[in-house]
Protein backbone atom coordinates (compact mmCIF):
# COMPACT_ATOMS: atom_id res chain seq x y z
CA UNK A 1 0.00 0.00 0.00
CA UNK A 2 1.44 3.38 -1.02
CA UNK A 3 1.84 6.09 1.68
CA UNK A 4 -0.27 9.18 1.10
CA UNK A 5 1.96 12.05 -0.02
CA UNK A 6 1.86 15.32 1.92
CA UNK A 7 0.52 18.13 -0.19
CA UNK A 8 2.39 21.44 0.22
CA UNK A 9 0.53 24.63 1.10
CA UNK A 10 1.17 28.05 -0.38
CA UNK A 11 2.14 30.91 1.94
CA UNK A 12 3.54 34.40 1.71
CA UNK A 13 6.80 34.77 3.63
CA UNK A 14 8.08 38.33 3.91
CA UNK A 15 6.07 39.25 0.82
CA UNK A 16 7.47 36.35 -1.24
CA UNK A 17 5.26 33.40 -2.28
CA UNK A 18 6.50 30.10 -0.92
CA UNK A 19 5.34 26.50 -0.64
CA UNK A 20 5.95 24.32 2.37
CA UNK A 21 5.09 20.99 3.87
CA UNK A 22 6.10 22.23 7.35
CA UNK A 23 2.72 23.07 8.79
CA UNK A 24 4.06 23.68 12.27
CA UNK A 25 5.32 27.25 12.70
CA UNK A 26 8.44 26.35 14.66
CA UNK A 27 9.44 23.72 12.10
CA UNK A 28 8.72 26.14 9.26
CA UNK A 29 10.90 28.83 10.85
CA UNK A 30 13.72 26.39 11.52
CA UNK A 31 13.58 25.29 7.89
CA UNK A 32 14.34 28.89 6.91
CA UNK A 33 17.10 29.56 9.43
CA UNK A 34 15.13 31.15 12.27
CA UNK A 35 15.90 28.74 15.05
CA UNK A 36 16.56 30.88 18.06
CA UNK A 37 17.51 34.43 18.83
CA UNK A 38 15.86 37.78 18.26
CA UNK A 39 13.05 37.83 15.74
CA UNK A 40 9.34 38.44 15.87
CA UNK A 41 6.75 36.59 13.83
CA UNK A 42 3.60 38.23 12.54
CA UNK A 43 0.96 36.13 10.80
CA UNK A 44 -1.93 37.85 9.07
CA UNK A 45 -1.14 41.02 11.06
CA UNK A 46 -1.19 39.22 14.41
CA UNK A 47 1.98 38.94 16.49
CA UNK A 48 2.60 35.32 17.41
CA UNK A 49 4.26 35.06 20.82
CA UNK A 50 7.37 32.88 20.89
CA UNK A 51 5.75 30.59 23.43
CA UNK A 52 3.07 29.77 20.83
CA UNK A 53 5.47 28.84 18.01
CA UNK A 54 5.76 25.12 18.89
CA UNK A 55 2.02 24.59 18.67
CA UNK A 56 0.96 27.08 16.00
CA UNK A 57 -0.29 25.42 12.82
CA UNK A 58 0.04 27.23 9.51
CA UNK A 59 -2.78 27.41 6.99
CA UNK A 60 -2.74 27.89 3.25
CA UNK A 61 -2.66 31.56 2.33
CA UNK A 62 -1.13 32.74 5.60
CA UNK A 63 0.92 35.93 5.31
CA UNK A 64 3.99 35.48 7.49
CA UNK A 65 6.35 38.30 8.35
CA UNK A 66 9.54 37.65 10.26
CA UNK A 67 11.22 40.79 11.55
CA UNK A 68 14.67 41.16 13.02
CA UNK A 69 16.61 43.96 14.72
CA UNK A 70 18.44 46.41 12.48
CA UNK A 71 20.25 49.66 13.06
CA UNK A 72 18.16 52.78 13.39
CA UNK A 73 18.45 56.47 14.08
CA UNK B 1 32.47 67.77 36.17
CA UNK B 2 29.34 65.91 35.20
CA UNK B 3 25.94 67.59 34.85
CA UNK B 4 23.14 66.34 37.07
CA UNK B 5 21.40 63.01 36.51
CA UNK B 6 17.95 63.06 34.94
CA UNK B 7 14.99 60.78 34.67
CA UNK B 8 13.28 59.52 31.54
CA UNK B 9 10.03 57.64 32.09
CA UNK B 10 11.26 56.59 35.51
CA UNK B 11 14.73 55.60 34.32
CA UNK B 12 17.58 57.58 35.85
CA UNK B 13 20.33 58.42 33.38
CA UNK B 14 23.60 60.31 33.66
CA UNK B 15 24.34 60.78 29.96
CA UNK B 16 22.12 63.27 28.15
CA UNK B 17 22.97 61.92 24.72
CA UNK B 18 20.83 59.38 22.90
CA UNK B 19 22.66 58.01 19.89
CA UNK B 20 21.57 56.15 16.78
CA UNK B 21 23.06 52.90 15.50
CA UNK B 22 22.74 53.58 11.75
CA UNK B 23 25.02 54.77 8.97
CA UNK B 24 28.38 53.84 10.51
CA UNK B 25 31.07 52.59 8.13
CA UNK B 26 31.30 49.30 10.05
CA UNK B 27 29.80 47.56 13.09
CA UNK B 28 33.06 47.99 14.99
CA UNK B 29 33.12 51.73 14.29
CA UNK B 30 29.54 51.90 15.56
CA UNK B 31 30.44 50.14 18.80
CA UNK B 32 33.53 52.31 19.33
CA UNK B 33 31.55 55.50 18.71
CA UNK B 34 28.72 54.51 21.05
CA UNK B 35 31.21 53.69 23.80
CA UNK B 36 33.03 56.99 23.26
CA UNK B 37 29.73 58.90 23.38
CA UNK B 38 28.96 57.62 26.87
CA UNK B 39 25.33 57.27 25.72
CA UNK B 40 23.09 55.05 27.81
CA UNK B 41 20.24 54.98 25.29
CA UNK B 42 20.60 53.84 21.67
CA UNK B 43 18.01 53.84 18.93
CA UNK B 44 17.30 50.71 16.93
CA UNK B 45 14.77 49.54 14.37
CA UNK B 46 13.30 46.40 12.84
CA UNK B 47 12.79 45.09 9.33
CA UNK B 48 11.74 42.00 7.45
CA UNK B 49 14.71 39.91 6.54
CA UNK B 50 14.86 37.28 3.87
CA UNK B 51 15.32 33.71 4.99
CA UNK B 52 18.93 33.70 3.80
CA UNK B 53 19.73 36.65 6.08
CA UNK B 54 18.31 35.15 9.25
CA UNK B 55 21.65 35.51 11.01
CA UNK B 56 22.39 39.16 10.26
CA UNK B 57 19.70 40.41 12.63
CA UNK B 58 21.08 38.19 15.34
CA UNK B 59 24.62 39.47 14.80
CA UNK B 60 23.43 43.05 15.13
CA UNK B 61 21.47 42.10 18.24
CA UNK B 62 24.54 40.49 19.82
CA UNK B 63 26.56 43.66 19.25
CA UNK B 64 24.04 46.06 20.73
CA UNK B 65 23.27 43.75 23.62
CA UNK B 66 26.96 43.76 24.56
CA UNK B 67 26.87 47.57 24.78
CA UNK B 68 24.49 47.33 27.75
CA UNK B 69 22.45 50.40 26.75
CA UNK B 70 18.73 50.99 27.05
CA UNK B 71 17.05 50.41 23.71
CA UNK B 72 14.77 52.91 22.06
CA UNK B 73 13.17 51.25 19.02
CA UNK B 74 11.80 53.53 16.33
CA UNK B 75 8.97 53.38 13.83
CA UNK B 76 11.08 54.84 11.03
CA UNK B 77 9.54 54.81 7.60
CA UNK B 78 5.90 54.81 8.74
CA UNK B 79 3.56 57.21 6.96
CA UNK B 80 0.29 56.45 8.75
CA UNK B 81 -0.84 56.08 12.33
CA UNK B 82 -1.96 52.50 11.69
CA UNK B 83 1.42 51.53 10.26
CA UNK B 84 3.29 53.14 13.16
CA UNK B 85 1.05 51.51 15.75
CA UNK B 86 1.60 48.09 14.18
CA UNK B 87 5.36 48.64 14.02
CA UNK B 88 5.44 49.79 17.65
CA UNK B 89 3.73 46.61 18.79
CA UNK B 90 6.17 44.48 16.83
CA UNK B 91 9.08 46.47 18.28
CA UNK B 92 7.80 45.89 21.81
CA UNK B 93 7.68 42.16 21.20
CA UNK B 94 11.09 42.09 19.53
CA UNK B 95 13.05 44.35 21.87
CA UNK B 96 11.08 43.68 25.06
CA UNK B 97 10.68 47.34 25.91
CA UNK B 98 7.66 49.62 26.10
CA UNK B 99 9.75 52.60 24.97
CA UNK B 100 9.03 53.69 21.42
CA UNK B 101 10.47 56.52 19.36
CA UNK B 102 7.35 57.31 17.41
CA UNK B 103 7.97 58.52 13.89
CA UNK B 104 4.99 59.12 11.63
CA UNK B 105 6.16 60.97 8.56
CA UNK B 106 4.03 63.24 6.43
CA UNK B 107 6.47 64.28 3.75
CA UNK B 108 9.01 62.07 2.05
CA UNK B 109 11.18 64.95 0.85
CA UNK B 110 12.16 66.46 4.19
CA UNK B 111 10.92 63.58 6.39
CA UNK B 112 8.71 65.99 8.29
CA UNK B 113 6.45 64.40 10.91
CA UNK B 114 2.71 64.33 10.18
CA UNK B 115 1.37 66.08 13.30
CA UNK B 116 -2.18 64.74 12.94
CA UNK B 117 -1.21 61.10 12.48
CA UNK B 118 1.48 61.46 15.15
CA UNK B 119 -1.04 62.62 17.73
CA UNK B 120 -3.49 59.87 16.75
CA UNK B 121 -0.82 57.17 17.05
CA UNK B 122 0.45 58.63 20.32
CA UNK B 123 -2.98 58.41 21.95
CA UNK B 124 -3.43 54.80 20.87
CA UNK B 125 0.01 53.69 21.96
CA UNK B 126 -0.23 55.36 25.36
CA UNK B 127 -3.56 53.56 25.86
CA UNK B 128 -1.74 50.36 24.89
CA UNK B 129 0.83 50.91 27.64
CA UNK B 130 3.72 52.37 25.65
CA UNK B 131 6.13 55.05 26.83
CA UNK B 132 6.05 57.26 23.79
CA UNK B 133 8.97 59.43 22.61
CA UNK B 134 7.37 61.31 19.71
CA UNK B 135 9.62 62.72 17.01
CA UNK B 136 7.76 65.94 16.30
CA UNK B 137 8.11 69.37 14.81
CA UNK B 138 8.69 72.38 17.04
CA UNK B 139 5.05 73.51 16.78
CA UNK B 140 3.87 74.64 20.22
CA UNK B 141 0.25 73.54 19.85
CA UNK B 142 1.21 70.08 18.60
CA UNK B 143 3.61 69.68 21.51
CA UNK B 144 0.97 70.82 23.99
CA UNK B 145 -1.46 68.26 22.61
CA UNK B 146 1.16 65.49 22.75
CA UNK B 147 1.85 66.42 26.37
CA UNK B 148 -1.88 66.48 27.12
CA UNK B 149 -2.14 63.00 25.59
CA UNK B 150 0.29 61.74 28.23
CA UNK B 151 3.78 62.06 26.76
CA UNK B 152 6.37 62.78 29.42
CA UNK B 153 9.02 63.22 26.73
CA UNK B 154 8.90 65.18 23.48
CA UNK B 155 11.54 65.18 20.77
CA UNK B 156 11.15 68.17 18.46
CA UNK B 157 13.40 68.44 15.46
CA UNK B 158 16.18 70.96 15.19
CA UNK B 159 16.14 70.54 11.42
CA UNK B 160 15.13 67.74 9.02
CA UNK B 161 16.73 64.35 9.62
CA UNK B 162 20.26 64.01 8.34
CA UNK B 163 20.65 67.62 7.20
CA UNK B 164 23.05 68.76 9.91
CA UNK B 165 21.51 72.23 9.69
CA UNK B 166 21.50 72.80 13.44
CA UNK B 167 18.66 74.60 15.20
CA UNK B 168 16.70 76.25 12.39
CA UNK B 169 14.17 77.83 14.71
CA UNK B 170 15.69 78.63 18.10
CA UNK B 171 12.71 80.85 18.93
CA UNK B 172 10.28 77.94 18.60
CA UNK B 173 12.54 75.63 20.61
CA UNK B 174 12.98 78.26 23.34
CA UNK B 175 9.21 78.75 23.43
CA UNK B 176 8.66 75.02 23.92
CA UNK B 177 11.11 75.01 26.80
CA UNK B 178 9.41 77.98 28.44
CA UNK B 179 5.85 76.78 27.91
CA UNK B 180 6.37 73.10 28.76
CA UNK B 181 8.61 73.26 31.83
CA UNK B 182 7.48 69.88 33.19
CA UNK B 183 8.11 67.97 29.97
CA UNK B 184 11.42 66.28 29.21
CA UNK B 185 12.61 67.74 25.92
CA UNK B 186 15.24 66.37 23.58
CA UNK B 187 16.22 67.83 20.26
CA UNK B 188 16.05 65.00 17.77
CA UNK B 189 17.34 65.41 14.23
CA UNK B 190 19.23 68.13 12.46
CA UNK B 191 22.16 68.40 14.84
CA UNK B 192 25.28 68.75 12.72
CA UNK B 193 28.05 69.74 15.09
CA UNK B 194 28.74 69.96 18.81
CA UNK B 195 27.98 73.68 18.98
CA UNK B 196 24.41 72.91 17.77
CA UNK B 197 24.04 70.57 20.73
CA UNK B 198 25.46 73.14 23.12
CA UNK B 199 22.93 75.68 21.86
CA UNK B 200 20.04 73.33 22.55
CA UNK B 201 21.35 72.38 25.97
CA UNK B 202 21.89 76.02 26.92
CA UNK B 203 18.22 76.61 26.07
CA UNK B 204 17.40 74.13 28.82
CA UNK B 205 16.80 71.06 26.71
CA UNK B 206 17.22 67.87 28.70
CA UNK B 207 19.04 65.91 26.05
CA UNK B 208 19.98 65.37 22.43
CA UNK B 209 19.26 62.51 20.06
CA UNK B 210 21.58 62.30 17.08
CA UNK B 211 23.05 59.82 14.66
CA UNK B 212 24.31 61.16 11.34
CA UNK B 213 26.61 63.82 12.80
CA UNK B 214 28.62 61.11 14.53
CA UNK B 215 28.22 58.25 12.06
CA UNK B 216 29.29 60.33 9.06
CA UNK B 217 32.19 62.10 10.76
CA UNK B 218 35.63 61.17 9.48
CA UNK B 219 36.38 59.83 12.97
CA UNK B 220 33.05 58.80 14.51
CA UNK B 221 34.45 57.88 17.92
CA UNK B 222 36.24 61.22 18.18
CA UNK B 223 33.10 63.11 17.18
CA UNK B 224 31.10 61.08 19.70
CA UNK B 225 33.49 62.21 22.42
CA UNK B 226 33.15 65.82 21.21
CA UNK B 227 29.35 65.59 21.47
CA UNK B 228 29.62 64.01 24.89
CA UNK B 229 31.66 66.93 26.15
CA UNK B 230 29.58 69.60 24.42
CA UNK B 231 26.28 68.26 25.72
CA UNK B 232 27.66 68.10 29.21
CA UNK B 233 29.07 71.64 28.89
CA UNK B 234 25.75 72.99 27.60
CA UNK B 235 23.86 71.42 30.46
CA UNK B 236 26.34 72.68 33.04
CA UNK B 237 25.96 76.19 31.60
CA UNK B 238 22.17 75.95 31.84
CA UNK B 239 22.36 74.71 35.42
CA UNK B 240 24.86 77.44 36.29
CA UNK B 241 22.51 80.14 35.00
CA UNK B 242 23.40 82.10 31.90
CA UNK B 243 23.67 85.87 32.25
CA UNK B 244 21.08 87.95 30.43
CA UNK B 245 22.04 89.82 27.27
CA UNK B 246 22.25 93.61 27.68
CA UNK B 247 22.01 96.40 25.18
CA UNK B 248 24.71 98.53 26.81
CA UNK B 249 28.19 97.83 28.09
CA UNK B 250 28.85 97.30 31.75
CA UNK B 251 32.44 97.39 33.03
CA UNK B 252 33.70 94.15 34.42
CA UNK B 253 36.59 95.80 36.30
CA UNK B 254 35.42 97.65 39.44
CA UNK B 255 35.46 101.42 38.98
CA UNK B 256 35.44 102.30 42.68
CA UNK B 257 38.66 104.05 43.84
CA UNK B 258 40.01 104.43 40.32
CA UNK B 259 42.53 107.26 39.90
CA UNK B 260 40.72 110.51 39.18
CA UNK B 261 42.05 110.76 35.60
CA UNK B 262 40.44 107.42 34.70
CA UNK B 263 36.98 108.47 35.90
CA UNK B 264 34.98 109.55 32.88
CA UNK B 265 31.77 110.33 34.72
Amino acid sequence: MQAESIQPISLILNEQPIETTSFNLQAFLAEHGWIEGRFVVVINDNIIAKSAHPTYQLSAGDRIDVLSPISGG
Amino acid sequence: MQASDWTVYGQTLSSRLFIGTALYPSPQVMCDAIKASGAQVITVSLRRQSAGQANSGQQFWNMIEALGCHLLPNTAGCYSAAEAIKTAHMARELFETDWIKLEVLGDSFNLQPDPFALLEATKTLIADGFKVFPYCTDDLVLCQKLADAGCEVLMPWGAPIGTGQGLLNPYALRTLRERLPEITLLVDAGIGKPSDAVQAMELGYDGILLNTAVAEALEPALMAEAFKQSINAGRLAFEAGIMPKRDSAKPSTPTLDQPIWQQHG
Side-chain angles (χ1 to χ4, degrees), chain B residues 8-48:
Chain B
V8 179
Y9 283 120
Q11 185 66 54
T12 300
L13 303 171
S14 50
S15 168
R16 291 173 178 270
L17 171 58
F18 289 13
I19 195 164
T21 55
L23 303 173
Y24 296 88
S26 75
Q28 188 58 52
V29 171
M30 175 194 78
C31 290
D32 291 345
I34 292 171
K35 286 176 192 165
S37 76
Q40 295 168 295
V41 176
I42 56 175
T43 52
V44 290
S45 196
L46 67 162
R47 284 290 183 279
R48 291 190 190 98

Short mmCIF file of all heavy atoms in Angstrom, two decimals, chain B residues 8-48:
data_model
loop_
_atom_site.label_atom_id
_atom_site.label_comp_id
_atom_site.label_asym_id
_atom_site.label_seq_id
_atom_site.Cartn_x
_atom_site.Cartn_y
_atom_site.Cartn_z
N VAL B 8 14.09 59.66 32.76
CA VAL B 8 13.28 59.52 31.54
C VAL B 8 12.31 58.35 31.76
O VAL B 8 12.75 57.21 31.88
CB VAL B 8 14.17 59.23 30.32
CG1 VAL B 8 13.33 59.06 29.07
CG2 VAL B 8 15.18 60.35 30.12
N TYR B 9 11.04 58.67 31.82
CA TYR B 9 10.03 57.64 32.09
C TYR B 9 10.46 56.72 33.24
O TYR B 9 10.43 55.49 33.12
CB TYR B 9 9.73 56.82 30.83
CG TYR B 9 8.84 57.54 29.83
CD1 TYR B 9 9.28 57.82 28.54
CD2 TYR B 9 7.55 57.94 30.18
CE1 TYR B 9 8.46 58.48 27.63
CE2 TYR B 9 6.73 58.60 29.28
CZ TYR B 9 7.18 58.86 28.01
OH TYR B 9 6.36 59.51 27.11
N GLY B 10 10.91 57.35 34.31
CA GLY B 10 11.26 56.59 35.51
C GLY B 10 12.66 56.01 35.52
O GLY B 10 13.09 55.44 36.52
N GLN B 11 13.38 56.15 34.42
CA GLN B 11 14.73 55.60 34.32
C GLN B 11 15.75 56.70 34.55
O GLN B 11 15.78 57.68 33.80
CB GLN B 11 14.93 54.99 32.92
CG GLN B 11 16.24 54.27 32.74
CD GLN B 11 16.35 53.03 33.59
OE1 GLN B 11 15.48 52.17 33.54
NE2 GLN B 11 17.39 52.94 34.39
N THR B 12 16.57 56.55 35.57
CA THR B 12 17.58 57.58 35.85
C THR B 12 18.80 57.37 34.94
O THR B 12 19.31 56.27 34.81
CB THR B 12 18.02 57.50 37.33
OG1 THR B 12 16.86 57.72 38.14
CG2 THR B 12 19.06 58.56 37.65
N LEU B 13 19.20 58.46 34.31
CA LEU B 13 20.33 58.42 33.38
C LEU B 13 21.34 59.50 33.77
O LEU B 13 20.95 60.55 34.31
CB LEU B 13 19.86 58.69 31.94
CG LEU B 13 18.79 57.76 31.37
CD1 LEU B 13 18.27 58.31 30.04
CD2 LEU B 13 19.34 56.36 31.19
N SER B 14 22.60 59.26 33.46
CA SER B 14 23.60 60.31 33.66
C SER B 14 23.97 60.97 32.34
O SER B 14 24.13 62.18 32.27
CB SER B 14 24.84 59.76 34.36
OG SER B 14 25.30 58.60 33.70
N SER B 15 24.06 60.19 31.27
CA SER B 15 24.34 60.78 29.96
C SER B 15 23.07 61.43 29.40
O SER B 15 21.97 60.88 29.53
CB SER B 15 24.81 59.70 28.99
OG SER B 15 24.82 60.21 27.67
N ARG B 16 23.26 62.57 28.77
CA ARG B 16 22.12 63.27 28.15
C ARG B 16 22.15 63.14 26.63
O ARG B 16 21.51 63.92 25.94
CB ARG B 16 22.12 64.73 28.59
CG ARG B 16 21.77 64.87 30.06
CD ARG B 16 21.93 66.28 30.58
NE ARG B 16 21.53 66.34 31.97
CZ ARG B 16 20.29 66.60 32.40
NH1 ARG B 16 19.33 66.84 31.52
NH2 ARG B 16 20.01 66.63 33.68
N LEU B 17 22.88 62.17 26.16
CA LEU B 17 22.97 61.92 24.72
C LEU B 17 22.34 60.57 24.39
O LEU B 17 22.72 59.54 24.95
CB LEU B 17 24.46 61.94 24.30
CG LEU B 17 24.80 61.48 22.88
CD1 LEU B 17 24.07 62.31 21.83
CD2 LEU B 17 26.31 61.58 22.65
N PHE B 18 21.36 60.61 23.50
CA PHE B 18 20.83 59.38 22.90
C PHE B 18 21.48 59.29 21.52
O PHE B 18 21.51 60.28 20.80
CB PHE B 18 19.31 59.45 22.70
CG PHE B 18 18.48 59.38 23.95
CD1 PHE B 18 19.01 59.53 25.21
CD2 PHE B 18 17.10 59.19 23.84
CE1 PHE B 18 18.22 59.48 26.35
CE2 PHE B 18 16.28 59.13 24.97
CZ PHE B 18 16.85 59.29 26.22
N ILE B 19 21.95 58.10 21.17
CA ILE B 19 22.66 58.01 19.89
C ILE B 19 22.10 56.88 19.03
O ILE B 19 21.70 55.83 19.54
CB ILE B 19 24.18 57.86 20.14
CG1 ILE B 19 24.97 58.13 18.87
CG2 ILE B 19 24.53 56.50 20.72
CD1 ILE B 19 26.45 58.37 19.10
N GLY B 20 22.08 57.13 17.72
CA GLY B 20 21.57 56.15 16.78
C GLY B 20 22.63 55.11 16.42
O GLY B 20 23.83 55.31 16.64
N THR B 21 22.16 54.02 15.85
CA THR B 21 23.06 52.90 15.50
C THR B 21 23.22 52.75 13.99
O THR B 21 23.79 51.75 13.54
CB THR B 21 22.50 51.59 16.09
OG1 THR B 21 21.15 51.40 15.63
CG2 THR B 21 22.51 51.61 17.61
N ALA B 22 22.73 53.72 13.21
CA ALA B 22 22.74 53.58 11.75
C ALA B 22 23.88 54.37 11.11
O ALA B 22 24.44 55.28 11.73
CB ALA B 22 21.41 54.06 11.19
N LEU B 23 24.17 54.00 9.89
CA LEU B 23 25.02 54.77 8.97
C LEU B 23 26.52 54.72 9.26
O LEU B 23 27.30 55.41 8.61
CB LEU B 23 24.59 56.25 8.92
CG LEU B 23 23.14 56.54 8.53
CD1 LEU B 23 22.84 58.03 8.69
CD2 LEU B 23 22.88 56.11 7.10
N TYR B 24 26.94 53.92 10.22
CA TYR B 24 28.38 53.84 10.51
C TYR B 24 29.08 53.04 9.41
O TYR B 24 28.48 52.13 8.82
CB TYR B 24 28.62 53.18 11.87
CG TYR B 24 28.07 54.00 13.01
CD1 TYR B 24 26.75 53.83 13.43
CD2 TYR B 24 28.84 54.96 13.64
CE1 TYR B 24 26.22 54.58 14.46
CE2 TYR B 24 28.32 55.73 14.68
CZ TYR B 24 27.00 55.54 15.08
OH TYR B 24 26.48 56.29 16.09
N PRO B 25 30.36 53.33 9.18
CA PRO B 25 31.07 52.59 8.13
C PRO B 25 31.23 51.10 8.44
O PRO B 25 31.39 50.30 7.52
CB PRO B 25 32.44 53.28 8.04
CG PRO B 25 32.51 54.28 9.12
CD PRO B 25 31.16 54.43 9.74
N SER B 26 31.20 50.73 9.71
CA SER B 26 31.30 49.30 10.05
C SER B 26 30.70 49.09 11.43
O SER B 26 30.59 50.03 12.23
CB SER B 26 32.76 48.85 10.05
OG SER B 26 33.42 49.34 11.22
N PRO B 27 30.34 47.85 11.75
CA PRO B 27 29.80 47.56 13.09
C PRO B 27 30.79 47.92 14.20
O PRO B 27 30.41 48.41 15.25
CB PRO B 27 29.54 46.06 13.04
CG PRO B 27 29.35 45.75 11.60
CD PRO B 27 30.26 46.67 10.87
N GLN B 28 32.07 47.68 13.95
CA GLN B 28 33.06 47.99 14.99
C GLN B 28 33.16 49.49 15.23
O GLN B 28 33.26 49.94 16.39
CB GLN B 28 34.44 47.43 14.58
CG GLN B 28 35.48 47.54 15.69
CD GLN B 28 35.04 46.81 16.96
OE1 GLN B 28 34.66 45.65 16.93
NE2 GLN B 28 35.06 47.51 18.10
N VAL B 29 33.09 50.26 14.15
CA VAL B 29 33.12 51.73 14.29
C VAL B 29 31.90 52.19 15.08
O VAL B 29 32.00 53.08 15.94
CB VAL B 29 33.18 52.41 12.91
CG1 VAL B 29 32.98 53.91 13.03
CG2 VAL B 29 34.51 52.11 12.22
N MET B 30 30.76 51.56 14.80
CA MET B 30 29.54 51.90 15.56
C MET B 30 29.76 51.65 17.05
O MET B 30 29.46 52.52 17.89
CB MET B 30 28.36 51.05 15.07
CG MET B 30 27.09 51.26 15.88
SD MET B 30 25.83 49.99 15.57
CE MET B 30 26.48 48.62 16.52
N CYS B 31 30.26 50.48 17.39
CA CYS B 31 30.44 50.14 18.80
C CYS B 31 31.43 51.10 19.46
O CYS B 31 31.19 51.58 20.58
CB CYS B 31 30.94 48.70 18.95
SG CYS B 31 29.68 47.49 18.52
N ASP B 32 32.52 51.40 18.77
CA ASP B 32 33.53 52.31 19.33
C ASP B 32 32.93 53.70 19.56
O ASP B 32 33.19 54.35 20.58
CB ASP B 32 34.74 52.42 18.40
CG ASP B 32 35.53 51.12 18.34
OD1 ASP B 32 35.33 50.25 19.22
OD2 ASP B 32 36.34 50.97 17.40
N ALA B 33 32.13 54.16 18.59
CA ALA B 33 31.55 55.50 18.71
C ALA B 33 30.53 55.55 19.86
O ALA B 33 30.50 56.52 20.62
CB ALA B 33 30.87 55.88 17.39
N ILE B 34 29.73 54.51 19.98
CA ILE B 34 28.72 54.51 21.05
C ILE B 34 29.42 54.51 22.40
O ILE B 34 29.03 55.24 23.32
CB ILE B 34 27.75 53.32 20.88
CG1 ILE B 34 26.90 53.54 19.63
CG2 ILE B 34 26.88 53.16 22.12
CD1 ILE B 34 26.04 52.35 19.24
N LYS B 35 30.47 53.70 22.53
CA LYS B 35 31.21 53.69 23.80
C LYS B 35 31.81 55.06 24.08
O LYS B 35 31.75 55.56 25.22
CB LYS B 35 32.30 52.62 23.75
CG LYS B 35 31.76 51.20 23.86
CD LYS B 35 32.90 50.19 23.71
CE LYS B 35 32.34 48.78 23.52
NZ LYS B 35 33.35 47.84 23.02
N ALA B 36 32.40 55.67 23.06
CA ALA B 36 33.03 56.99 23.26
C ALA B 36 32.00 58.05 23.62
O ALA B 36 32.32 59.01 24.34
CB ALA B 36 33.78 57.39 21.99
N SER B 37 30.77 57.89 23.13
CA SER B 37 29.73 58.90 23.38
C SER B 37 29.26 58.88 24.84
O SER B 37 28.71 59.86 25.33
CB SER B 37 28.53 58.65 22.47
OG SER B 37 27.76 57.54 22.94
N GLY B 38 29.46 57.75 25.50
CA GLY B 38 28.96 57.62 26.87
C GLY B 38 27.44 57.48 26.92
O GLY B 38 26.86 57.48 28.02
N ALA B 39 26.80 57.35 25.76
CA ALA B 39 25.33 57.27 25.72
C ALA B 39 24.84 56.03 26.46
O ALA B 39 25.48 54.97 26.42
CB ALA B 39 24.84 57.24 24.28
N GLN B 40 23.71 56.18 27.11
CA GLN B 40 23.09 55.05 27.81
C GLN B 40 21.82 54.60 27.10
O GLN B 40 21.19 53.63 27.52
CB GLN B 40 22.77 55.45 29.25
CG GLN B 40 24.01 55.73 30.08
CD GLN B 40 23.65 56.41 31.39
OE1 GLN B 40 23.16 57.54 31.40
NE2 GLN B 40 23.87 55.71 32.48
N VAL B 41 21.42 55.34 26.07
CA VAL B 41 20.24 54.98 25.29
C VAL B 41 20.64 54.99 23.82
O VAL B 41 21.23 55.96 23.33
CB VAL B 41 19.09 55.98 25.53
CG1 VAL B 41 17.89 55.64 24.64
CG2 VAL B 41 18.67 55.99 27.00
N ILE B 42 20.32 53.90 23.11
CA ILE B 42 20.60 53.84 21.67
C ILE B 42 19.31 53.52 20.92
O ILE B 42 18.45 52.80 21.42
CB ILE B 42 21.69 52.79 21.34
CG1 ILE B 42 21.32 51.39 21.85
CG2 ILE B 42 23.04 53.23 21.90
CD1 ILE B 42 22.32 50.31 21.45
N THR B 43 19.20 54.09 19.74
CA THR B 43 18.01 53.84 18.93
C THR B 43 18.27 52.67 17.98
O THR B 43 19.38 52.51 17.46
CB THR B 43 17.60 55.09 18.14
OG1 THR B 43 18.72 55.58 17.42
CG2 THR B 43 17.07 56.16 19.07
N VAL B 44 17.23 51.90 17.78
CA VAL B 44 17.30 50.71 16.93
C VAL B 44 16.01 50.62 16.12
O VAL B 44 15.07 51.39 16.35
CB VAL B 44 17.46 49.41 17.77
CG1 VAL B 44 18.84 49.34 18.40
CG2 VAL B 44 16.38 49.30 18.84
N SER B 45 15.97 49.70 15.18
CA SER B 45 14.77 49.54 14.37
C SER B 45 14.56 48.07 14.04
O SER B 45 15.29 47.20 14.55
CB SER B 45 14.89 50.40 13.09
OG SER B 45 13.63 50.55 12.50
N LEU B 46 13.60 47.79 13.21
CA LEU B 46 13.30 46.40 12.84
C LEU B 46 12.83 46.35 11.39
O LEU B 46 12.24 47.32 10.90
CB LEU B 46 12.26 45.79 13.77
CG LEU B 46 10.82 46.33 13.74
CD1 LEU B 46 9.89 45.32 14.40
CD2 LEU B 46 10.70 47.66 14.44
N ARG B 47 13.16 45.27 10.73
CA ARG B 47 12.79 45.09 9.33
C ARG B 47 12.58 43.62 9.04
O ARG B 47 13.10 42.76 9.73
CB ARG B 47 13.91 45.58 8.41
CG ARG B 47 14.04 47.08 8.28
CD ARG B 47 12.90 47.72 7.51
NE ARG B 47 13.13 49.16 7.37
CZ ARG B 47 12.85 50.06 8.30
NH1 ARG B 47 12.35 49.68 9.46
NH2 ARG B 47 13.09 51.34 8.09
N ARG B 48 11.82 43.37 7.97
CA ARG B 48 11.74 42.00 7.45
C ARG B 48 13.11 41.63 6.93
O ARG B 48 13.81 42.46 6.35
CB ARG B 48 10.78 41.94 6.26
CG ARG B 48 9.33 42.14 6.60
CD ARG B 48 8.52 41.81 5.37
NE ARG B 48 7.14 42.21 5.57
CZ ARG B 48 6.63 43.35 5.12
NH1 ARG B 48 7.38 44.20 4.47
NH2 ARG B 48 5.36 43.63 5.32
#
